[in-house]
């Protein structure tokens, strides 16, 4: 079974009544309920736990890590970020949600600023599939709608995705590359846009479906593990082979 | 100087008064005016000329071919299509406009159906740049608008573009990958969405700017010309080199 | 269970004693044995059967098609090629082997000449993994060797692959992109280089492992099925929404 | 004119007589001579200068930065690395040479370990073009050879390049993706493999040709400059537009 670790900053929910009203037990709990119902094995971790809940032993038991952060990106310890980055390169899957675009972890893995345009006015988002037959789209229609969401607009400063799965339309006039697949080292990464803390996005059945599909897609694939470093012995003799 | 050949089906303009009112001399003449003003050397060719105006001698003088077709795709001779396809693979640039997505030429070069969703209700299109600093975007803002256009919507059945330069927002709720770069063989191809025959799209300064930029981008780059076939002589001797 | 259809031209084996000695029952039978042993459900089809063994009913029962052809590419009926191409775009997986690079089917799906350099002197090929953790590499080491093979050398005139899984080293001094993944429409395509008819390549355990892995990778993924065409009803009202 | 800044760690040349014999004035001087002869405007900077020679005013005058480092990657100041990374994302071109694959700068821009296999036995390298007509290949043949070089072998832990221009064959049996193009933010990056400090690689005419071509390719393209951040005003009114 695929073991999912849901990481949440878990700050808005403790300080902002509007967020608390939507996610009384935290975004991580909402996600855990939805993904457990989809047949995945989930645990959670949050910023204020020791090692942010991301100890080596915890990561040893993790196939795919989900990441939600927003206002406290700067409080995530650099050593933990480096640890998690290395785990991803070693094969652990990673799903980065919404404002996680600005996390240290995602920026380090992308190498770019990951900046974008944004507006919080509760407008409608329509998310279109641009990669049919992709496993992350299983069970969806050709698009789905979120009635109220924060707007994220292009230009989104990311490397061109290895596969572009979703593009969003916003009522206010913008578009956004909302579902982006990456392969980095031995790991797979999926960025998925929706999920502002003041809207019940993580109860939306299609949003949960996408995240569950992405967890299955990002799980380690069982292929070759690369090795690196000095190779003192050539595989062919080095005498002159000129014709 | 970059030599541009503008190919137009040139049928709507002769039979449909609404189109004639917008493009009295044909879409090819409107494009030629705009591109000549942008400093490019242009000629035109149309479907009803001998060899559709695409004789070997004409193609010998062409760096970049622009293609607009719509209702008469089926009348384009297969042998001419094959000739032009081979020229592109040999290094001639190709700009495919709007309904040219369904031309024999584009479908053969893509290998897919190139199908899409469409609606003709004169809605607003807002074209967003998703590849900053790309030469095709020179002189634009972060987006530009076309007040009235036909809608094209995803899924657009093309290979994932090598570079995605534009994504369109439509008033009616759809999105579309509107500017797509491809490298095929030694040639460069740019698909650009706007240009329905009943709207004055090809007089829009930003649309002309994009097409002029694309012509410069698609012009042959002067790199290596590949060779193919039998290589009887190995570059290294084939005796056993095992250590 | 994934249903595999192995298509073989099956001409060399009937006319050339050297090939017959290696593949007495045909390349398709050798592949069927190897893939059945790997747990796949296989059937075979050959050029000289009615409809080349590729009737609509047969394709209805096929998840992934494997294609080997060489000297009789021109005898494959265009209507059958178009039928199979459409099936791939509709989601059927396709594995193209070795000299199948020059088949009508592969060339139509790629849109390029698919040409390359070649030499038949039985030299050593060493196939390196360039995409670790890719499911097609499961069970391999970081490279594997084929003691005697035909050389294929760059430039290989294909679109840049969506994922490059293998690169070959040849004793005579060339390199080749030997394992190339593509997504086209709803289908997945894998080109795999090895398999000259005069060598026992299709009995090599790592070659069979790759082909079996590729069959599983290319099987339909269960994602969204796109629809196309006229959309008379906008999803949002088209009155003027300007602020 | 394109302004090139050649950065060299410049340590081996001062301490190792074998390196000094090949590059008596430093690798940066050898490159400067070659690139100046190719018509480029060059300056140099080295690790032991104040700010490593990479002050804001110097970078203001730089279109393309070339980077060679090896044993002192760790001595490059993190703040300078961040400064240069941001310049690249803002549009400055970057050419990373040989052992620069392990520089802080390249690893930060790639997000991966950038690790590889290596062996220093002076073997022959044959560099094949895999992207014909690419401007970086102008003036080359289909391959070129370096008689003695350090071997770098796959797996090379980088993101899949946006364009793969060269693949190397090594006498000892390995292959390597030797010429890799990336777009990151508004900047273009080219990694080019050859250049071990004990071999006269940077006097090789084809190596210099590639680096000069890459400088021209990576120079800022003059396209759109993106903006980011809060967009309080929607471009369309947010009232309900449902049909």
């Amino acid at each position: 079974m695929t073991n999912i670790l849901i990481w949440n900053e878990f700050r808005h929910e403790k300080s902002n009544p509007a967020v608390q009203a939507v996610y009384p037990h935290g975004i991580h709990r909402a996600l855990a309920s939805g993904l457990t119902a989809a047949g995945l094995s989930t645990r959670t971790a949050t910023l204020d736990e020791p090692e942010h809940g991301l100890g080596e032993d915890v990561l040893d038991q993790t196939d795919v890590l989900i990441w939600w952060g927003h206002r406290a990106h700067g409080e995530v310890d650099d050593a933990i970020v480096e640890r998690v980055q290395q785990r991803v390169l070693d094969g652990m899957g990673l799903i980065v949600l919404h404002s996680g675009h600005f996390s240290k972890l995602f920026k380090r893995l992308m190498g770019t600023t990951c900046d974008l345009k944004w507006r919080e006015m509760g407008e409608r988002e329509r998310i279109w599939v641009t990669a049919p037959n992709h496993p992350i789209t299983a069970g969806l229609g050709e698009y789905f709608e979120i009635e109220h969401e924060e707007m994220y607009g292009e230009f989104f400063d990311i490397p061109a995705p290895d596969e572009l799965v979703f593009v969003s339309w916003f009522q206010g006039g913008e578009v956004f590359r909302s579902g982006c697949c990456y392969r980095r080292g031995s790991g797979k990464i999926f960025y998925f846009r929706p999920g502002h803390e003041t809207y019940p996005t993580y109860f939306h059945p299609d949003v949960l479906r996408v995240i569950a599909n992405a967890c299955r897609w990002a799980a380690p694939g069982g292929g070759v593990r690369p090795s690196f470093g000095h190779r003192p012995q050539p595989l062919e003799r080095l005498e002159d082979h000129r014709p």
Side-chain angles (χ1 to χ4, degrees), chain A:
Chain A
M1 182 175 257
T2 306
N3 293 304
I4 312 300
L5 181 65
I6 303 165
W7 191 90
N8 181 18
E9 185 182 288
F10 197 32
R11 289 281 176 84
H12 291 287
E13 299 96 325
K14 289 187 278 191
S15 61
N16 182 337
V19 178
Q20 210 163 37
V22 182
Y23 296 107
H25 309 292
I27 282 174
H28 52 303
R29 295 283 171 210
L31 284 168
S33 296
L35 297 178
T36 302
L40 291 161
S41 165
T42 64
R43 285 172 309 153
T44 65
T46 57
L47 178 63
D48 293 325
E49 297 174 37
E51 298 185 86
H52 312 319
L54 298 166
E56 297 283 12
D57 54 326
V58 174
L59 295 173
D60 283 345
Q61 308 296 323
T62 300
D63 295 311
V64 179
L65 174 66
I66 295 175
W67 193 277
W68 196 101
H70 184 209
R71 72 174 196 194
H73 292 315
E75 295 181 42
V76 180
D77 188 77
D78 284 339
I80 304 289
V81 172
E82 194 157 330
R83 174 192 296 173
V84 175
Q85 177 184 20
Q86 191 55 53
R87 290 279 178 157
V88 173
L89 299 177
D90 287 344
M92 182 180 74
L94 177 67
I95 317 291
V96 176
L97 296 176
H98 190 62
S99 44
H101 76 92
F102 245 12
S103 62
K104 289 180 181 179
L105 177 62
F106 190 60
K107 290 197 289 186
R108 283 177 74 119
L109 281 161
M110 297 292 106
T112 55
T113 68
C114 301
D115 211 344
L116 46 77
K117 297 181 179 66
W118 59 275
R119 176 176 58 238
E120 192 185 338
M121 292 179 73
E123 62 205 88
R124 181 156 53 248
E125 175 177 15
R126 184 175 292 108
I127 299 183
W128 288 91
V129 172
T130 53
N133 212 6
H134 195 289
I136 287 180
T137 68
L140 301 175
E142 292 194 74
Y143 66 84
F144 63 95
E145 296 178 352
I146 304 176
E147 207 48 42
H148 301 288
E149 251 295 347
E150 184 181 20
M151 183 283 291
Y152 278 10
E154 293 284 345
F155 174 65
F156 184 21
D157 184 19
I158 47 169
D162 293 325
E163 294 169 285
L164 177 62
V165 180
F166 299 115
V167 171
S168 287
W169 177 101
F170 286 98
Q171 204 178 357
E174 285 87 356
V175 297
F176 196 75
R177 289 169 290 166
S178 279
C180 299
C181 294
Y182 296 94
R183 283 167 194 76
R184 289 295 184 267
S186 293
K188 286 194 268 187
I189 303 168
F190 182 62
Y191 175 79
F192 188 45
R193 199 213 73 82
H196 195 58
E197 66 271 11
T198 58
Y199 306 113
T201 299
Y202 293 128
F203 299 102
H204 188 300
D206 281 334
V207 170
L208 289 170
R209 189 168 282 130
V210 167
I211 298 172
N213 289 342
C215 286
R216 293 191 177 95
W217 169 84
V224 164
R225 304 287 302 177
S227 68
F228 301 106
H230 194 200
R231 289 298 179 275
Q233 281 306 109
L235 302 164
E236 307 276 333
R237 277 183 296 133
L238 295 182
E239 62 192 47
D240 191 4
H241 302 149
R242 291 279 189 188

